[in-house]
Amino acid sequence: DRSSWSEIAAVVLLPFGGVVIPFGGWLVGLYFLWSSPVWTVPEKVGATLVLPFGVLLPLLLLARNPFFGFALLAPVVTATYLALRLRA
């Protein structure tokens, strides 16, 4: 299996790290993402742009306006894609 603990940590920390440790958790996930040879550069760029701060920002926006609930999907879908690519 090509996956290691750092790739699994990236998949978990990118969407949820910002909630556990605001900003810092997401940055650690970003480090693991970019240091991994598993994902391609376009996948890394996409994950970086889609997941800024993971679900933290959508949760904060959701508190102000329920319309932003859809924004929670992007980090979760992106993390799911990365996890599926990790298993391939």
Coordinates of all heavy atoms in Angstrom, one line a residue:
D1 N 0.8 -1.2 0.0 CA 0.0 0.0 0.0 C 0.9 1.2 0.0 O 1.8 1.3 0.8 CB -0.9 0.0 1.2 CG -2.0 1.0 1.1 OD1 -2.4 1.4 0.1 OD2 -2.5 1.4 2.2
R2 N 0.6 2.2 -0.9 CA 1.4 3.4 -1.0 C 1.2 4.4 0.1 O 2.0 5.3 0.3 CB 1.1 4.1 -2.4 CG 1.5 3.2 -3.5 CD 1.3 4.0 -4.8 NE 0.2 4.9 -4.9 CZ 0.0 5.7 -5.9 NH1 0.7 5.6 -7.0 NH2 -1.0 6.6 -5.9
S3 N 0.1 4.3 0.8 CA -0.3 5.4 1.7 C 0.6 5.2 3.0 O 0.9 4.1 3.4 CB -1.7 5.3 2.1 OG -2.1 4.1 2.6
S4 N 0.9 6.3 3.6 CA 1.6 6.3 4.9 C 0.8 7.2 5.8 O -0.2 7.8 5.4 CB 3.0 6.9 4.7 OG 2.9 8.3 4.4
W5 N 1.2 7.3 7.0 CA 0.5 8.1 8.0 C 0.4 9.6 7.6 O -0.5 10.2 7.9 CB 1.2 7.9 9.4 CG 2.5 8.6 9.5 CD1 3.7 8.0 9.2 CD2 2.8 9.9 9.8 NE1 4.7 8.9 9.4 CE2 4.2 10.1 9.7 CE3 2.0 11.0 10.1 CZ2 4.8 11.3 10.0 CZ3 2.7 12.2 10.4 CH2 4.1 12.4 10.3
S6 N 1.4 10.1 6.9 CA 1.4 11.5 6.5 C 0.4 11.8 5.4 O -0.3 12.8 5.5 CB 2.8 12.0 6.0 OG 3.2 11.2 4.9
E7 N 0.1 10.8 4.5 CA -0.9 11.0 3.5 C -2.3 11.0 4.2 O -3.2 11.7 3.9 CB -0.9 10.0 2.4 CG 0.2 10.3 1.3 CD 1.5 9.7 1.6 OE1 1.6 8.8 2.4 OE2 2.5 10.1 0.9
I8 N -2.5 10.0 5.1 CA -3.7 9.9 5.9 C -4.0 11.2 6.7 O -5.1 11.7 6.7 CB -3.8 8.7 6.7 CG1 -3.7 7.4 5.8 CG2 -5.0 8.6 7.6 CD1 -3.4 6.1 6.5
A9 N -2.9 11.7 7.3 CA -3.0 12.9 8.1 C -3.4 14.1 7.2 O -4.2 14.9 7.6 CB -1.7 13.2 8.8
A10 N -2.8 14.1 6.0 CA -3.2 15.2 5.0 C -4.7 15.2 4.7 O -5.4 16.2 4.7 CB -2.4 15.1 3.7
V11 N -5.2 14.0 4.4 CA -6.6 13.8 4.1 C -7.5 14.2 5.2 O -8.6 14.8 5.0 CB -6.9 12.4 3.6 CG1 -8.4 12.1 3.5 CG2 -6.2 12.1 2.3
V12 N -7.1 14.0 6.5 CA -7.9 14.4 7.6 C -7.7 15.8 8.0 O -8.7 16.6 8.3 CB -7.5 13.5 8.8 CG1 -8.2 13.9 10.1 CG2 -7.9 12.0 8.5
L13 N -6.5 16.3 8.0 CA -6.2 17.7 8.5 C -6.6 18.8 7.5 O -7.0 19.9 7.9 CB -4.7 17.8 8.8 CG -4.2 17.1 10.0 CD1 -2.7 17.2 10.1 CD2 -4.9 17.7 11.2
L14 N -6.6 18.5 6.2 CA -7.0 19.5 5.2 C -8.4 20.0 5.5 O -8.7 21.2 5.6 CB -6.8 19.1 3.8 CG -5.3 19.1 3.3 CD1 -5.1 18.4 2.0 CD2 -4.8 20.5 3.2
P15 N -9.4 19.1 5.6 CA -10.7 19.6 5.8 C -11.0 19.9 7.3 O -11.8 20.8 7.6 CB -11.6 18.4 5.3 CG -10.8 17.2 5.4 CD -9.4 17.6 5.2
F16 N -10.4 19.2 8.2 CA -10.8 19.3 9.6 C -9.8 19.9 10.6 O -10.1 20.2 11.7 CB -11.3 17.9 10.2 CG -12.4 17.3 9.4 CD1 -12.2 16.2 8.6 CD2 -13.6 17.9 9.3 CE1 -13.2 15.7 7.9 CE2 -14.7 17.4 8.6 CZ -14.5 16.3 7.8
G17 N -8.5 20.0 10.1 CA -7.5 20.5 11.0 C -7.7 21.9 11.4 O -7.3 22.3 12.5
G18 N -8.3 22.8 10.6 CA -8.6 24.1 10.9 C -9.6 24.3 12.0 O -9.6 25.3 12.7
V19 N -10.4 23.3 12.2 CA -11.4 23.3 13.3 C -10.8 22.9 14.6 O -11.0 23.5 15.6 CB -12.6 22.3 13.0 CG1 -13.6 22.3 14.1 CG2 -13.3 22.8 11.7
V20 N -9.9 22.0 14.5 CA -9.2 21.5 15.8 C -8.2 22.5 16.2 O -8.1 22.9 17.4 CB -8.5 20.1 15.5 CG1 -7.8 19.7 16.7 CG2 -9.6 19.1 15.1
I21 N -7.3 22.9 15.3 CA -6.3 24.0 15.6 C -6.4 25.0 14.5 O -5.9 24.8 13.4 CB -4.9 23.4 15.6 CG1 -4.7 22.2 16.5 CG2 -3.8 24.5 15.9 CD1 -3.4 21.4 16.4
P22 N -7.2 26.1 14.8 CA -7.4 27.1 13.7 C -6.2 27.5 13.0 O -5.2 27.8 13.6 CB -8.1 28.2 14.5 CG -8.8 27.6 15.6 CD -7.8 26.4 16.0
F23 N -6.3 27.5 11.7 CA -5.2 27.8 10.7 C -4.0 26.8 10.8 O -3.6 26.3 9.8 CB -4.7 29.3 11.0 CG -3.9 29.7 9.8 CD1 -4.4 29.9 8.6 CD2 -2.6 30.0 10.1 CE1 -3.6 30.3 7.5 CE2 -1.8 30.5 9.0 CZ -2.3 30.6 7.8
G24 N -3.5 26.5 12.0 CA -2.3 25.7 12.1 C -2.6 24.2 11.7 O -1.7 23.6 11.0
G25 N -3.7 23.7 12.0 CA -4.0 22.3 11.6 C -4.1 22.2 10.1 O -3.7 21.2 9.5
W26 N -4.7 23.2 9.5 CA -4.8 23.2 8.0 C -3.4 23.3 7.4 O -3.1 22.6 6.4 CB -5.7 24.3 7.5 CG -5.9 24.4 6.0 CD1 -6.6 23.5 5.2 CD2 -5.2 25.3 5.2 NE1 -6.4 23.9 3.9 CE2 -5.6 25.0 3.9 CE3 -4.4 26.4 5.4 CZ2 -5.2 25.7 2.8 CZ3 -3.9 27.1 4.3 CH2 -4.3 26.8 3.0
L27 N -2.6 24.2 7.9 CA -1.2 24.3 7.4 C -0.4 23.0 7.5 O 0.3 22.7 6.6 CB -0.5 25.4 8.1 CG -0.9 26.8 7.7 CD1 -0.1 27.9 8.6 CD2 -0.6 27.1 6.3
V28 N -0.6 22.3 8.6 CA 0.1 21.0 8.7 C -0.4 20.0 7.6 O 0.4 19.3 7.0 CB 0.0 20.4 10.1 CG1 0.5 19.0 10.2 CG2 0.6 21.3 11.2
G29 N -1.7 20.0 7.4 CA -2.3 19.2 6.4 C -1.7 19.6 5.0 O -1.4 18.7 4.2
L30 N -1.6 20.9 4.8 CA -1.0 21.4 3.5 C 0.4 20.9 3.3 O 0.8 20.5 2.2 CB -1.1 22.9 3.5 CG -1.1 23.6 2.2 CD1 -2.3 23.2 1.3 CD2 -1.2 25.1 2.4
Y31 N 1.2 20.9 4.4 CA 2.6 20.5 4.3 C 2.6 19.0 3.9 O 3.4 18.6 3.1 CB 3.3 20.7 5.7 CG 4.6 20.0 5.7 CD1 5.7 20.5 5.1 CD2 4.7 18.8 6.4 CE1 6.9 19.9 5.1 CE2 6.0 18.1 6.4 CZ 7.0 18.7 5.8 OH 8.3 18.0 5.8
F32 N 1.8 18.2 4.6 CA 1.7 16.7 4.3 C 1.3 16.5 2.8 O 1.8 15.6 2.1 CB 0.8 16.0 5.2 CG 1.4 15.8 6.6 CD1 0.6 15.9 7.7 CD2 2.8 15.6 6.8 CE1 1.1 15.8 9.0 CE2 3.3 15.5 8.1 CZ 2.4 15.6 9.2
L33 N 0.3 17.3 2.4 CA -0.2 17.2 1.0 C 1.0 17.4 0.0 O 1.2 16.6 -0.9 CB -1.3 18.2 0.7 CG -1.8 18.3 -0.7 CD1 -2.6 17.1 -1.1 CD2 -2.6 19.6 -0.9
W34 N 1.7 18.5 0.2 CA 2.7 18.9 -0.8 C 4.0 18.1 -0.7 O 4.7 18.0 -1.6 CB 3.0 20.4 -0.7 CG 1.9 21.2 -1.4 CD1 0.8 21.7 -0.9 CD2 1.9 21.5 -2.8 NE1 0.1 22.3 -1.8 CE2 0.7 22.2 -3.0 CE3 2.8 21.2 -3.8 CZ2 0.4 22.7 -4.3 CZ3 2.4 21.7 -5.1 CH2 1.2 22.4 -5.3
S35 N 4.2 17.5 0.5 CA 5.4 16.7 0.6 C 5.2 15.2 0.2 O 6.2 14.5 0.1 CB 5.9 16.7 2.1 OG 5.0 16.1 2.9
S36 N 4.0 14.9 -0.2 CA 3.7 13.5 -0.6 C 3.9 13.3 -2.1 O 3.5 14.2 -2.9 CB 2.2 13.2 -0.3 OG 1.9 11.9 -0.8
P37 N 4.5 12.2 -2.5 CA 4.6 11.9 -3.9 C 3.4 11.2 -4.5 O 3.3 11.0 -5.7 CB 5.8 10.9 -3.9 CG 5.7 10.2 -2.6 CD 5.2 11.2 -1.7
V38 N 2.4 10.9 -3.7 CA 1.2 10.2 -4.1 C 0.3 11.0 -5.1 O -0.1 10.5 -6.1 CB 0.3 9.8 -2.9 CG1 -1.0 9.2 -3.3 CG2 1.1 8.8 -2.1
W39 N 0.1 12.3 -4.8 CA -0.8 13.1 -5.6 C 0.0 13.9 -6.6 O 1.2 14.3 -6.4 CB -1.6 14.0 -4.7 CG -2.5 13.3 -3.8 CD1 -3.6 12.5 -4.1 CD2 -2.3 13.2 -2.3 NE1 -4.1 12.0 -2.9 CE2 -3.4 12.4 -1.9 CE3 -1.5 13.7 -1.4 CZ2 -3.5 12.1 -0.5 CZ3 -1.6 13.4 -0.1 CH2 -2.6 12.6 0.3
T40 N -0.6 14.2 -7.7 CA 0.0 15.0 -8.8 C 0.0 16.5 -8.4 O -0.8 16.9 -7.5 CB -0.7 14.8 -10.1 OG1 -2.0 15.4 -10.0 CG2 -0.8 13.4 -10.5
V41 N 0.8 17.3 -9.1 CA 0.8 18.7 -8.8 C -0.6 19.3 -9.1 O -1.0 20.1 -8.2 CB 1.9 19.4 -9.6 CG1 1.8 20.9 -9.5 CG2 3.3 19.0 -9.1
P42 N -1.3 19.0 -10.2 CA -2.6 19.6 -10.3 C -3.6 19.2 -9.2 O -4.4 20.0 -8.8 CB -3.1 19.0 -11.7 CG -1.8 18.8 -12.4 CD -0.8 18.3 -11.4
E43 N -3.5 18.0 -8.7 CA -4.3 17.6 -7.6 C -4.0 18.4 -6.3 O -4.8 18.8 -5.6 CB -4.2 16.1 -7.3 CG -4.8 15.2 -8.4 CD -4.5 13.8 -8.2 OE1 -3.4 13.4 -7.7 OE2 -5.3 13.0 -8.7
K44 N -2.7 18.6 -6.1 CA -2.2 19.4 -4.9 C -2.7 20.8 -5.0 O -3.2 21.4 -4.0 CB -0.7 19.3 -4.8 CG -0.2 17.9 -4.4 CD 1.3 17.9 -4.4 CE 1.8 16.5 -4.1 NZ 3.3 16.4 -4.1
V45 N -2.6 21.4 -6.2 CA -3.0 22.8 -6.4 C -4.5 22.9 -6.2 O -5.0 23.8 -5.5 CB -2.6 23.3 -7.8 CG1 -3.3 24.6 -8.1 CG2 -1.1 23.5 -7.9
G46 N -5.3 21.9 -6.8 CA -6.7 21.9 -6.6 C -7.1 21.8 -5.1 O -8.0 22.5 -4.7
A47 N -6.5 20.9 -4.4 CA -6.8 20.7 -3.0 C -6.5 21.9 -2.2 O -7.2 22.3 -1.3 CB -6.1 19.5 -2.5
T48 N -5.4 22.6 -2.5 CA -5.0 23.8 -1.8 C -6.0 24.9 -2.0 O -6.4 25.6 -1.1 CB -3.6 24.2 -2.3 OG1 -2.6 23.2 -2.0 CG2 -3.2 25.5 -1.6
L49 N -6.5 25.0 -3.3 CA -7.4 26.1 -3.6 C -8.8 25.8 -3.1 O -9.5 26.8 -2.7 CB -7.4 26.4 -5.1 CG -6.1 26.9 -5.6 CD1 -6.2 27.1 -7.1 CD2 -5.7 28.2 -5.0
V50 N -9.2 24.6 -3.1 CA -10.6 24.2 -2.7 C -10.7 24.2 -1.2 O -11.8 24.5 -0.6 CB -11.0 22.9 -3.3 CG1 -12.4 22.4 -2.8 CG2 -11.2 23.1 -4.8
L51 N -9.7 23.8 -0.5 CA -9.7 23.6 0.9 C -9.1 24.6 1.8 O -8.7 24.3 2.9 CB -9.0 22.3 1.2 CG -9.6 21.0 0.8 CD1 -8.7 19.8 1.0 CD2 -10.9 20.7 1.5
P52 N -9.0 25.9 1.4 CA -8.5 26.9 2.3 C -9.2 26.8 3.7 O -10.4 27.1 3.7 CB -8.6 28.2 1.6 CG -8.7 27.9 0.2 CD -9.4 26.6 0.1
F53 N -8.4 26.5 4.7 CA -8.9 26.4 6.0 C -10.0 25.3 6.2 O -10.6 25.2 7.3 CB -9.4 27.7 6.6 CG -8.4 28.8 6.3 CD1 -8.7 29.8 5.4 CD2 -7.2 28.8 6.9 CE1 -7.8 30.8 5.1 CE2 -6.3 29.8 6.7 CZ -6.5 30.8 5.8
G54 N -10.1 24.4 5.3 CA -11.1 23.3 5.4 C -12.5 23.7 5.7 O -13.0 24.6 5.1
V55 N -13.1 23.1 6.6 CA -14.5 23.4 6.9 C -14.7 24.5 7.9 O -15.8 25.0 8.2 CB -15.3 22.1 7.5 CG1 -15.3 21.1 6.4 CG2 -14.7 21.6 8.8
L56 N -13.5 25.1 8.4 CA -13.6 26.2 9.4 C -14.3 27.4 8.8 O -15.3 27.9 9.4 CB -12.2 26.5 9.9 CG -12.2 27.7 10.9 CD1 -12.9 27.3 12.1 CD2 -10.7 28.1 11.2
L57 N -13.9 27.9 7.7 CA -14.5 29.0 7.1 C -16.0 28.8 6.8 O -16.8 29.7 7.1 CB -13.7 29.5 5.8 CG -14.2 30.8 5.2 CD1 -14.1 31.9 6.2 CD2 -13.3 31.1 4.0
P58 N -16.4 27.7 6.1 CA -17.8 27.5 5.9 C -18.6 27.4 7.2 O -19.7 27.9 7.2 CB -17.9 26.2 5.1 CG -16.6 26.1 4.4 CD -15.6 26.7 5.4
L59 N -18.0 26.9 8.2 CA -18.8 26.8 9.5 C -19.0 28.2 10.1 O -20.0 28.5 10.6 CB -18.0 25.9 10.5 CG -18.1 24.4 10.3 CD1 -17.2 23.7 11.3 CD2 -19.6 24.0 10.5
L60 N -17.9 29.0 10.0 CA -18.1 30.4 10.5 C -19.1 31.2 9.6 O -19.9 31.9 10.2 CB -16.7 31.1 10.4 CG -15.7 30.6 11.4 CD1 -14.3 31.3 11.1 CD2 -16.1 30.8 12.8
L61 N -19.1 31.0 8.3 CA -20.1 31.6 7.5 C -21.5 31.1 7.7 O -22.5 31.8 7.7 CB -19.7 31.4 6.0 CG -18.5 32.1 5.5 CD1 -18.1 31.7 4.1 CD2 -18.6 33.6 5.6
L62 N -21.6 29.8 8.0 CA -22.9 29.2 8.3 C -23.5 29.8 9.5 O -24.8 29.9 9.6 CB -22.7 27.7 8.4 CG -24.0 26.8 8.6 CD1 -24.8 26.9 7.4 CD2 -23.6 25.4 8.8
A63 N -22.7 30.1 10.5 CA -23.3 30.7 11.7 C -23.9 32.1 11.4 O -24.9 32.5 12.1 CB -22.1 30.9 12.7
R64 N -23.5 32.7 10.3 CA -24.1 34.0 9.9 C -25.3 33.9 9.0 O -26.1 34.7 8.9 CB -23.0 34.9 9.4 CG -21.9 35.2 10.4 CD -21.1 36.3 9.9 NE -21.9 37.5 9.7 CZ -21.5 38.7 9.8 NH1 -20.2 38.9 10.0 NH2 -22.3 39.7 9.6
N65 N -25.2 32.9 8.1 CA -26.2 32.7 7.0 C -26.3 31.3 6.6 O -25.3 30.7 6.1 CB -25.8 33.6 5.9 CG -26.8 33.6 4.8 OD1 -27.7 32.7 4.7 ND2 -26.7 34.6 3.9
P66 N -27.4 30.6 6.8 CA -27.6 29.2 6.5 C -27.3 28.9 5.0 O -27.0 27.7 4.7 CB -29.0 28.9 6.9 CG -29.4 29.9 7.8 CD -28.6 31.2 7.5
F67 N -27.4 29.9 4.2 CA -27.1 29.7 2.8 C -25.7 29.1 2.5 O -25.5 28.4 1.5 CB -27.3 31.0 2.0 CG -26.9 30.9 0.6 CD1 -27.8 30.3 -0.3 CD2 -25.8 31.5 0.1 CE1 -27.5 30.2 -1.7 CE2 -25.5 31.4 -1.3 CZ -26.3 30.8 -2.2
F68 N -24.8 29.4 3.4 CA -23.4 29.0 3.2 C -23.2 27.5 3.6 O -22.1 27.0 3.5 CB -22.4 29.8 4.0 CG -22.3 31.2 3.4 CD1 -22.9 32.3 4.0 CD2 -21.5 31.4 2.2 CE1 -22.7 33.6 3.4 CE2 -21.4 32.6 1.7 CZ -22.0 33.7 2.2
G69 N -24.2 26.8 3.9 CA -24.1 25.4 4.2 C -23.6 24.6 3.1 O -22.8 23.6 3.3
F70 N -23.9 25.0 1.8 CA -23.3 24.3 0.7 C -21.8 24.3 0.6 O -21.2 23.5 0.0 CB -23.9 24.8 -0.6 CG -23.3 26.1 -1.1 CD1 -22.3 26.2 -1.9 CD2 -23.8 27.3 -0.6 CE1 -21.7 27.4 -2.3 CE2 -23.3 28.5 -1.0 CZ -22.2 28.6 -1.8
A71 N -21.2 25.4 1.2 CA -19.8 25.5 1.2 C -19.1 24.4 2.0 O -17.9 24.2 1.8 CB -19.4 26.9 1.7
L72 N -19.8 23.7 2.8 CA -19.2 22.6 3.6 C -18.9 21.4 2.6 O -18.0 20.6 2.9 CB -20.1 22.1 4.7 CG -20.2 23.1 5.9 CD1 -21.3 22.6 6.8 CD2 -18.9 23.1 6.6
L73 N -19.6 21.4 1.5 CA -19.4 20.2 0.6 C -18.0 20.2 -0.1 O -17.4 19.2 -0.3 CB -20.5 20.2 -0.5 CG -21.9 19.9 0.0 CD1 -22.9 20.0 -1.1 CD2 -21.9 18.5 0.6
A74 N -17.5 21.4 -0.5 CA -16.3 21.4 -1.2 C -15.1 20.8 -0.5 O -14.4 20.0 -1.0 CB -16.0 22.9 -1.6
P75 N -14.9 21.1 0.8 CA -13.8 20.5 1.5 C -14.0 19.0 1.7 O -13.0 18.2 1.6 CB -13.7 21.2 2.9 CG -14.4 22.5 2.7 CD -15.4 22.2 1.6
V76 N -15.2 18.6 1.9 CA -15.5 17.2 2.2 C -15.3 16.4 0.9 O -14.7 15.3 0.8 CB -16.9 17.0 2.8 CG1 -17.2 15.5 2.9 CG2 -16.9 17.6 4.2
V77 N -15.8 16.9 -0.2 CA -15.7 16.2 -1.5 C -14.2 16.2 -2.0 O -13.8 15.1 -2.4 CB -16.5 17.0 -2.6 CG1 -16.2 16.5 -4.0 CG2 -18.0 16.8 -2.3
T78 N -13.5 17.2 -1.8 CA -12.1 17.2 -2.1 C -11.3 16.2 -1.3 O -10.5 15.5 -1.8 CB -11.5 18.6 -2.0 OG1 -12.2 19.5 -2.7 CG2 -10.0 18.7 -2.4
A79 N -11.5 16.2 0.0 CA -10.8 15.2 0.9 C -11.2 13.8 0.5 O -10.4 12.9 0.5 CB -11.2 15.5 2.3
T80 N -12.5 13.6 0.1 CA -12.9 12.2 -0.4 C -12.1 11.9 -1.6 O -11.7 10.7 -1.8 CB -14.4 12.2 -0.6 OG1 -15.0 12.5 0.6 CG2 -14.9 10.8 -1.0
Y81 N -12.0 12.8 -2.6 CA -11.3 12.5 -3.8 C -9.8 12.2 -3.5 O -9.3 11.2 -4.0 CB -11.3 13.7 -4.7 CG -10.4 13.6 -5.9 CD1 -10.8 12.8 -7.0 CD2 -9.2 14.2 -6.0 CE1 -10.0 12.6 -8.1 CE2 -8.4 14.0 -7.1 CZ -8.8 13.2 -8.1 OH -7.9 13.1 -9.2
L82 N -9.2 12.9 -2.6 CA -7.8 12.6 -2.3 C -7.7 11.3 -1.6 O -6.7 10.5 -1.9 CB -7.2 13.7 -1.3 CG -7.0 15.1 -1.9 CD1 -6.6 16.1 -0.8 CD2 -6.0 15.1 -3.0
A83 N -8.6 10.9 -0.8 CA -8.6 9.6 -0.1 C -8.7 8.5 -1.1 O -8.1 7.4 -1.1 CB -9.7 9.5 0.9
L84 N -9.6 8.7 -2.1 CA -9.8 7.6 -3.2 C -8.6 7.5 -4.0 O -8.2 6.4 -4.4 CB -11.0 8.0 -4.0 CG -12.4 7.9 -3.3 CD1 -13.5 8.4 -4.2 CD2 -12.6 6.4 -2.9
R85 N -7.9 8.6 -4.3 CA -6.7 8.6 -5.1 C -5.6 7.9 -4.3 O -4.7 7.2 -4.8 CB -6.2 10.0 -5.5 CG -7.0 10.5 -6.6 CD -6.5 10.0 -8.0 NE -5.1 10.5 -8.2 CZ -4.1 9.7 -8.4 NH1 -4.2 8.4 -8.5 NH2 -2.9 10.2 -8.6
L86 N -5.6 8.1 -3.0 CA -4.6 7.5 -2.1 C -4.7 6.0 -2.1 O -3.7 5.3 -2.1 CB -4.8 8.0 -0.7 CG -3.8 7.6 0.4 CD1 -2.4 8.1 0.0 CD2 -4.2 8.2 1.7
R87 N -5.9 5.5 -2.2 CA -6.2 4.0 -2.2 C -5.9 3.4 -3.6 O -5.6 2.2 -3.7 CB -7.6 3.7 -1.9 CG -8.0 4.1 -0.4 CD -9.4 3.7 -0.1 NE -9.6 2.3 -0.5 CZ -10.1 1.4 0.3 NH1 -10.4 1.7 1.5 NH2 -10.2 0.2 -0.1
A88 N -5.9 4.2 -4.6 CA -5.6 3.7 -6.0 C -4.2 3.2 -6.2 O -3.3 3.7 -5.6 CB -6.0 4.7 -7.0

